[in-house]
């Protein structure tokens, strides 16, 4: 299953993601400690540095801001940062399909 | 049986409208209390008084899941039967709390994909206004009982299964012993010899039938299920008399509850228990339990059956002696209409009437998705053409069960501008697909765009009609919500190092000839899977005997010609 692969310990750059408690939206941990809706605003960690991000995520879970914070592997591309795994790319872009003629 | 007994017998002569089970004040009060309770739980969660670990089981009990992009609300549509007003209420929820659409599922339910936690209590309150709820759509309880989408209408039906589906619903709703089963538990029931409810992939499958004296009884299948370990159910009893139905179900559930493994989630379904103890031994254990149950306590009283039956009295059908001729004339005059009638209708037991299937599988669309505007329009058409009644099929289409044959052409014309008249029921574009990686947090790969690309590859309906009946089922992970093991062509999304791959099986069936598909070979990458499906279908066209359906050809030839063709194309 692709469900949340343990990315901690990965050699890839890492970002921290979660779902926002009140509406479930995908959010990314930013450098100022807040949560943003776009990956490009996320703070990037290398190696063990991610522990600080995960600790911040856990603290915000305790404060009922987010649910299920975890580390996500990303790769730098000429177009910007992209998650390594398809699951996380879908979380960044939203569903790849839209209902026909949704209002 | 207390829950059933409190419904006093109603007058059988009174048509309640839409063949819908009408809630009484007790049910409504119960729903109101549940909404208030959930509202308080959500408030406590948002205020930080409940942690996620504490809150999760509470929200799941109310059908609220956290998916990839948002919360998802799964609403029950008991045995897939709803009224026009209820469908309008779903449209209202879609418009007000979601993004203007909903998704009908293989359990004949509807899911909303974009619900915010803070809106969820209001959404559930709106559902309750129309006697709708999201209870028993999650968790290790007895889930929504499913049935034949043509129940109470089909010409080939011997017993109306809705009556017993409702009895089972009442018996199982919040049953104290069965709210915490080892695992979720799914029951399907049909009342026709042709299995349209996929009985053998259910924990319990029931066929209601009559004996030579006309008495009602049930053939019982048990131990079916898909997922990681797909197993077909076996026939445990050929006949359980009507009055012993609940006792027999209790006996099965008690046996399971006592012996079913709870330690390992993958081993907790009844199918694993049946496999481990053996069919004969399991049957013995159930019979022992059945023999010791206080029979009087669990006896299904004929008065109760009659009271429930009264909720399903047939609508006031008109005598329409010329309707069949009118339909024949319209079919002869319009080839496109004829193609739709050929695929999207089913014979009705009432002379002059017919069941019409509304395909939710337009070419390139999302299987099972329906916009709020379409829901409103279908609700209006149901009132105009089908006594205000709508059904959800387990293949994710909708049905207007009681349409006058001489008005079928008018219905079809009304469906066309709504994008709801695709003549593809049972054809290759009538694909069952789960939400997959586009929405589902458990997914390994996307299912919807694979379905769309297959349908688009064969967009010409004439080609699809030439290929004929073939069921394609696509699941986004091993949980098999789209029943891929029993698709004629089954496609399973798998994850390989974070990328999407698809394993293909051939020869599955969910009908009377139930079978699990055979794996054709290594999995295909996302970009290659549609080519592989095309190769399989072209191979079928090349090797089929005249008049032979896909599944028949497969059963004659086996995997060999398909494997060879796939190998050659690789
Ligand atoms: S089969 Fe898997 S991906 Fe599809 S809906 Fe079920 S759990 Fe989600």
């Amino acid at each position: 299953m692709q469900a949340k692969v343990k990315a901690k310990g990965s050699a890839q750059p890492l970002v921290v993601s979660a779902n926002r408690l009140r509406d479930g939206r995908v959010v990314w941990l930013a450098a100022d400690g807040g949560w943003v809706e776009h990956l490009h605003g996320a703070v990037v960690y290398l190696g063990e540095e991610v522990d600080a991000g995960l600790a911040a995520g856990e603290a915000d879970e305790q404060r009922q801001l987010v649910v299920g914070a975890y580390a996500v592997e990303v790769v730098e591309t000429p177009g910007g940062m992209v998650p390594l795994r398809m699951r996380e790319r879908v979380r960044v872009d939203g569903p790849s399909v839209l209902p026909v003629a949704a209002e | 049986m207390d829950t059933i007994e409190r419904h006093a017998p109603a007058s059988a002569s009174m048509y309640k409208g839409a063949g819908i089970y009408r809630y009484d004040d007790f049910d409504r009060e119960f729903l109101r209390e549940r909404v208030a309770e959930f509202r308080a739980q959500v408030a406590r969660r948002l205020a930080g008084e409940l942690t996620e670990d504490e809150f999760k089981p509470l929200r799941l009990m109310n059908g609220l899941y956290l998916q990839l992009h948002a919360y998802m609300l799964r609403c029950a549509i008991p045995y897939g039967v709803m009224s026009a007003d209820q469908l309008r209420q779903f449209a209202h929820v879609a418009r007000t709390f979601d993004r203007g659409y909903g998704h009908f599922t293989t359990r004949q339910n509807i899911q909303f994909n974009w619900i915010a936690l803070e809106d969820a209590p209001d959404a559930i309150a709106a559902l309750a206004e129309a006697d709708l709820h999201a209870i028993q759509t999650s968790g290790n309880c007895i889930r929504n009982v499913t049935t034949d989408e043509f129940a109470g209408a089909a010409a080939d039906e011997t017993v109306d299964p809705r009556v017993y589906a409702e009895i089972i619903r009442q018996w199982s709703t919040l049953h104290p012993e069965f709210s915490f089963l080892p695992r979720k538990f799914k029951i399907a029931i049909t009342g026709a010899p042709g299995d349209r409810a996929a009985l053998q992939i259910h924990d319990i499958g029931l066929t209601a039938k009559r004996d030579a004296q006309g008495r009602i009884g049930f053939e019982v299948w048990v131990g079916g299920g898909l997922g990681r370990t797909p197993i077909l159910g076996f026939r445990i009893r050929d006949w359980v008399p009507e009055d012993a139905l609940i006792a027999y179900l209790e006996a099965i559930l008690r046996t399971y509850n006592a012996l079913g493994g709870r330690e390992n989630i993958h081993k907790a379904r009844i199918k694993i228990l049946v496999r481990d103890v053996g069919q004969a031994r399991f049957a013995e254990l159930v019979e022992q339990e059945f023999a010791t149950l206080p029979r009087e306590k669990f006896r299904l009283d004929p008065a109760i059956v009659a009271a429930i039956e009264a909720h399903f009295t047939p609508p006031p059908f008109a005598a329409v002696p010329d309707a069949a001729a009118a339909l024949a004339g319209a079919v002869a005059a319009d080839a496109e209409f004829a193609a739709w009638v050929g695929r999207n209708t089913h014979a009705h037991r009432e002379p002059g009437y017919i069941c019409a299937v509304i395909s939710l599988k337009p070419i390139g669309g999302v299987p099972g998705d329906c916009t709020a505007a379409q829901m409103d329009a279908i609700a209006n058409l149901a009132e105009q053409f089908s006594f205000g009644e709508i059904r959800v099929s387990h293949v994710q289409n909708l049905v207007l069960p009681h349409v006058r044959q001489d008005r079928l052409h008018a219905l079809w014309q009304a469906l066309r501008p709504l994008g709801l008249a695709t003549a593809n029921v049972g054809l290759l574009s009538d694909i069952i697909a789960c939400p997959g990686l586009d929405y589902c947090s458990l997914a390994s790969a996307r299912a919807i765009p694979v379905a769309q690309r297959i349908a688009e590859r064969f967009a010409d309906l004439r080609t699809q009609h030439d290929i004929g009946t073939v069921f394609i089922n696509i699941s986004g992970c091993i949980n098999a919500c789209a029943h891929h093991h029993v698709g004629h062509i089954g496609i399973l999304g798998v994850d390989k190092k974070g990328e999407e791959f698809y394993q293909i099986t051939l020869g599955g069936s969910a009908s009377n000839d139930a079978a699990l598909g055979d794996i054709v070979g290594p999995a295909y990458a996302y970009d290659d899977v549609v080519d592989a499906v095309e190769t399989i279908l072209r191979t079928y066209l090349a090797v089929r005997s005249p008049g032979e359906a896909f599944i028949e050809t497969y059963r004659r030839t086996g995997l060999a010609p398909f494997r060879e063709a796939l190998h050659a194309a690789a």
Side-chain angles (χ1 to χ4, degrees):
Chain A
M1 271 189 234
Q2 286 204 319
K4 288 190 193 174
V5 173
K6 288 247 176 300
K8 193 166 147 22
S10 166
Q12 293 291 331
L14 298 166
V15 295
V16 173
S17 184
N19 289 86
R20 193 158 55 203
L21 171 67
R22 63 184 169 79
D23 59 5
R25 293 295 184 270
V26 174
V27 286
W28 309 88
L29 186 62
D32 66 358
W35 296 88
V36 294
E37 291 188 21
H38 299 289
L39 175 62
H40 55 70
V43 56
V44 181
Y45 301 97
L46 287 173
E48 309 266 293
E49 288 170 20
V50 77
D51 288 344
L54 289 170
E58 209 179 300
D60 282 350
E61 284 188 50
Q62 306 280 324
R63 293 166 57 212
Q64 321 308 336
L65 294 176
V66 296
V67 183
Y70 64 109
V72 172
E73 294 165 296
V74 291
V75 282
E76 298 286 356
T77 71
M81 190 163 52
V82 185
L84 186 65
R85 291 175 179 275
M86 185 65 198
R87 179 184 199 270
E88 301 306 326
R89 295 202 287 274
V90 173
R91 288 179 78 246
V92 169
D93 297 335
S96 65
V97 293
L98 282 176
V100 177
E103 292 153 60
Chain B
M1 297 302 296
D2 298 352
T3 48
I4 293 176
E5 278 160 8
R6 64 187 161 68
H7 295 286
S11 158
S13 62
M14 213 168 71
Y15 177 59
K16 309 273 183 194
I20 304 293
Y21 184 82
R22 295 288 151 150
Y23 276 30
D24 59 18
D25 291 342
F26 181 95
D27 297 305
R28 295 211 173 88
E29 186 50 36
F30 171 75
L31 281 192
R32 270 194 292 272
E33 281 167 16
R34 277 295 286 257
V35 171
E37 182 185 66
F38 186 57
R39 196 180 287 287
Q41 289 162 347
V42 170
R44 291 179 62 207
R45 174 71 183 115
L46 289 169
E49 292 163 25
L50 290 175
T51 65
E52 184 62 15
D53 285 348
E54 290 164 335
F55 179 64
K56 188 176 171 185
L58 303 175
R59 68 168 159 74
L60 287 176
M61 275 169 72
N62 289 283
L64 194 68
Y65 290 70
L66 180 53
Q67 295 288 56
L68 283 186
H69 317 284
Y71 294 88
M72 178 270 280
L73 181 63
R74 183 180 293 154
C75 311
I77 302 174
Y79 32 93
V81 177
M82 62 184 158
S83 68
D85 284 342
Q86 289 178 321
L87 184 54
R88 279 195 197 99
Q89 199 68 358
F90 285 135
H92 168 69
V93 168
R95 214 176 261 128
T96 313
F97 304 106
D98 204 273
R99 293 192 176 173
Y101 64 102
H103 176 77
F104 290 100
T105 76
T106 51
R107 282 220 73 68
Q108 302 178 316
N109 288 324
I110 186 168
Q111 295 181 178
F112 296 103
N113 287 315
W114 298 98
I115 301 290
L117 178 59
E118 49 201 5
D119 291 338
D122 288 340
I124 289 174
L127 292 173
E129 281 171 28
D131 294 346
L132 294 164
H133 60 78
I135 300 165
Q136 280 180 299
T137 61
S138 167
N140 295 335
C141 60
I142 300 177
R143 302 286 187 89
N144 189 24
V145 179
T146 50
T147 191
D148 180 359
E149 64 268 28
F150 304 123
D156 58 350
E157 179 174 288
T158 43
V159 178
D160 185 345
R162 293 173 304 172
V163 174
Y164 302 94
E166 175 57 29
I167 287 169
I168 294 168
R169 185 189 74 79
Q170 293 191 18
W171 161 72
S172 67
T173 300
L174 312 169
H175 190 304
E177 255 178 79
F178 303 150
S179 298
F180 296 98
L181 290 166
R183 240 354 226 119
K184 59 189 172 185
F185 201 90
K186 299 177 179 180
I187 301 178
I189 178 166
T190 176
D195 178 2
R196 288 183 288 265
L199 298 181
Q200 284 187 68
I201 63 170
H202 282 80
D203 296 283
I204 294 179
L206 299 166
T207 307
K209 55 186 188 180
R210 288 178 192 276
D211 68 6
Q213 283 76 46
R215 289 174 302 207
I216 291 173
F218 301 87
E219 184 177 283
V220 184
W221 298 78
V222 72
L226 299 176
R228 195 174 295 269
T229 314
I231 296 177
L232 294 176
F234 79 102
R235 187 166 46 203
I236 187 168
R237 266 261 196 158
D238 187 49
W239 182 262
V240 172
E242 182 189 68
D243 67 352
L245 173 67
I246 297 300
Y248 198 76
L249 294 178
E250 281 271 347
I252 294 176
L253 265 295
R254 285 180 181 205
T255 306
Y256 170 50
N257 218 3
L259 300 179
R262 288 170 196 264
E263 305 75 36
N264 182 342
I265 189 172
H266 300 306
K267 297 199 168 161
R269 295 290 293 266
I270 194 171
K271 62 186 177 183
I272 305 291
L273 174 64
V274 172
R275 187 195 63 183
D276 290 353
V277 303
Q279 295 179 356
R281 176 72 187 135
F282 183 78
E284 233 174 72
L285 291 167
V286 170
E287 290 300 328
Q288 278 169 17
E289 186 71 41
F290 184 54
T292 57
L293 279 177
R295 200 58 66 80
E296 228 1 77
K297 181 172 174 216
F298 292 105
R299 181 169 167 268
L300 182 54
D301 190 331
I304 291 170
V305 178
I308 306 263
E309 248 167 17
H311 289 273
F312 297 103
T313 46
F317 293 117
V320 279
D322 301 330
L327 174 57
V331 163
D334 186 336
E336 225 181 308
F337 176 58
W340 183 79
V341 173
R343 293 305 318 188
N344 293 42
T345 60
H346 187 81
H348 201 287
R349 66 177 182 213
E350 188 71 18
Y353 283 80
I354 196 162
C355 311
V357 183
I358 298 173
S359 167
L360 295 182
K361 320 285 178 68
I363 305 299
V366 178
D369 269 15
C370 195
T371 67
Q374 287 176 325
M375 290 185 217
D376 278 336
I378 293 167
N380 292 342
L381 292 173
E383 277 170 347
Q384 253 179 290
F385 291 96
S386 183
F387 302 97
E389 188 174 335
I390 305 118
R391 309 286 179 79
V392 186
S393 76
H394 82 278
V395 298
Q396 302 176 287
N397 289 318
L398 298 180
V399 170
L400 299 188
H402 313 294
V403 181
R404 263 173 64 162
Q405 292 184 6
D406 54 350
R407 302 185 66 198
L408 191 65
H409 191 257
L411 169 65
W412 175 71
Q413 283 180 314
L415 288 170
R416 289 200 333 157
L418 298 167
L420 293 169
T422 314
N424 65 344
V425 172
L427 297 179
L428 71 89
S429 57
D430 187 9
I431 296 171
I432 297 183
C434 76
L437 191 53
D438 283 299
Y439 295 98
C440 178
S441 60
L442 301 174
S444 301
R446 287 171 295 165
I448 297 166
V450 176
Q452 290 175 323
R453 286 162 57 222
I454 292 170
E456 278 159 2
R457 179 71 61 93
F458 292 92
D460 183 353
L461 271 178
R462 282 169 306 188
T463 313
Q464 290 194 35
H465 280 265
D466 180 32
I467 292 169
T469 299
V470 53
F471 297 121
I472 303 181
N473 300 41
I474 312 176
S475 302
C477 82
I478 194 69
N479 287 327
C481 297
H483 307 163
H484 63 274
H485 302 99
V486 291
H488 294 169
I489 300 177
I491 302 177
L492 163 66
V494 292
D495 167 37
K496 287 192 183 178
K497 298 202 174 93
E499 298 303 324
E500 301 165 295
F501 280 79
Y502 297 87
Q503 195 179 71
I504 300 181
T505 47
L506 297 180
S509 169
S511 196
N512 296 68
D513 56 354
L516 301 172
D518 308 309
I519 296 173
V520 288
Y524 292 88
Y526 178 82
D527 287 336
D528 301 329
V529 64
V530 178
D531 290 341
V533 171
E534 179 170 356
T535 301
I536 289 163
L537 290 167
R538 298 220 176 277
T539 306
Y540 156 66
L541 290 176
V543 304
R544 72 177 168 187
S545 303
E548 203 177 43
F550 177 86
I551 187 69
E552 293 162 351
T553 300
Y554 179 77
R555 288 193 177 143
R556 177 172 57 77
T557 67
L559 276 174
F562 298 95
R563 262 198 184 143
E564 276 162 32
L566 287 165
H567 193 71

